[in-house]
Amino acid sequence: MLLSGIPATRKSSFGRYLATEHRFAHYDIECYPNSWPHPELYKTFLNDRLAFVKRLREQHARTVLDWGFPVRCLSWVDELRTSGVRLIWFSGDIAHAREEFKKRGAGKSPEDNFNKQVMAIQREGYPASLDCVIVPALSSSGVFLDQRQIENIVFPPTMPAYV
């Protein structure tokens, strides 16, 4: 599965949760090579997403990718999805997500980076224009869903067991 969405809505936290609690292999695309169980797969990811997913399946029983992809990379996401990767979109209150993003201190002007990404997402009509599961991760009151609540949205009782 691919976790994506609004910056600072705790996609990576959920990916780490799945790795710790349910033995998923967690690949944070933006943190190569530090959070890649098999960093040698990075070149494959860059060059051929279908081959990348095939290699992941050979290496792991369950994999979660974590990538707040730039909108210009939607074709890459579509390639992943064609290979059977399920897109999970983390949505949330923009103002609260911006504050969380600023706390990270990502780069010289983190707020500008956040604003550019969110504007691009809104311009493309995400997530409405995507066929995906939507997780309302951050409420308008600034409260995050806990990991179990997210898990119940991503893996509803009607879905076959994943553990």
Side-chain angles (χ1 to χ4, degrees):
M1 84 180 68
L2 169 61
L3 308 177
S4 198
I6 301 295
T9 52
R10 298 194 177 166
K11 299 175 292 292
S12 297
S13 296
F14 187 64
R16 288 188 298 271
Y17 166 80
L18 290 176
T20 302
E21 297 297 318
H22 298 293
R23 298 174 30 202
F24 275 69
H26 177 223
Y27 288 77
D28 187 330
I29 302 297
E30 297 166 42
C31 292
Y32 166 82
N34 296 335
S35 70
W36 281 57
H38 289 278
E40 70 276 7
L41 296 179
Y42 188 67
K43 285 185 183 179
T44 307
F45 170 75
L46 293 177
N47 296 315
D48 186 343
R49 265 68 54 203
L50 300 176
F52 174 68
V53 172
K54 182 179 180 204
R55 296 279 312 277
L56 287 175
R57 288 191 173 120
E58 292 168 358
Q59 298 285 341
H60 311 287
R62 294 180 295 270
T63 304
V64 59
L65 307 173
D66 169 9
W67 184 29
F69 66 91
V71 296
R72 70 181 181 280
C73 292
L74 181 60
S75 64
W76 289 25
V77 171
D78 287 340
E79 290 171 18
L80 293 169
R81 292 168 70 184
T82 297
S83 298
V85 174
R86 191 169 161 237
L87 179 59
I88 311 297
W89 186 270
F90 279 55
S91 68
D93 181 78
I94 301 298
H96 285 98
R98 181 181 293 110
E99 290 306 310
E100 290 293 320
F101 192 85
K102 285 176 7 184
K103 288 178 189 176
R104 294 180 187 172
K108 288 186 178 183
S109 57
E111 191 168 358
D112 286 344
N113 295 337
F114 178 90
N115 291 337
K116 286 177 188 175
Q117 178 72 359
V118 169
M119 284 176 36
I121 288 168
Q122 291 171 334
R123 187 172 49 248
E124 295 299 320
Y126 298 166
S129 65
L130 301 170
D131 179 24
C132 61
V133 172
I134 300 172
V135 174
L138 178 58
S139 74
S140 59
S141 59
V143 176
F144 284 98
L145 290 180
D146 68 37
Q147 304 298 357
R148 296 253 184 237
Q149 291 171 308
I150 296 170
E151 184 177 354
N152 288 332
I153 293 168
V154 173
F155 303 106
T158 57
M159 182 178 214
Y162 63 94
V163 289

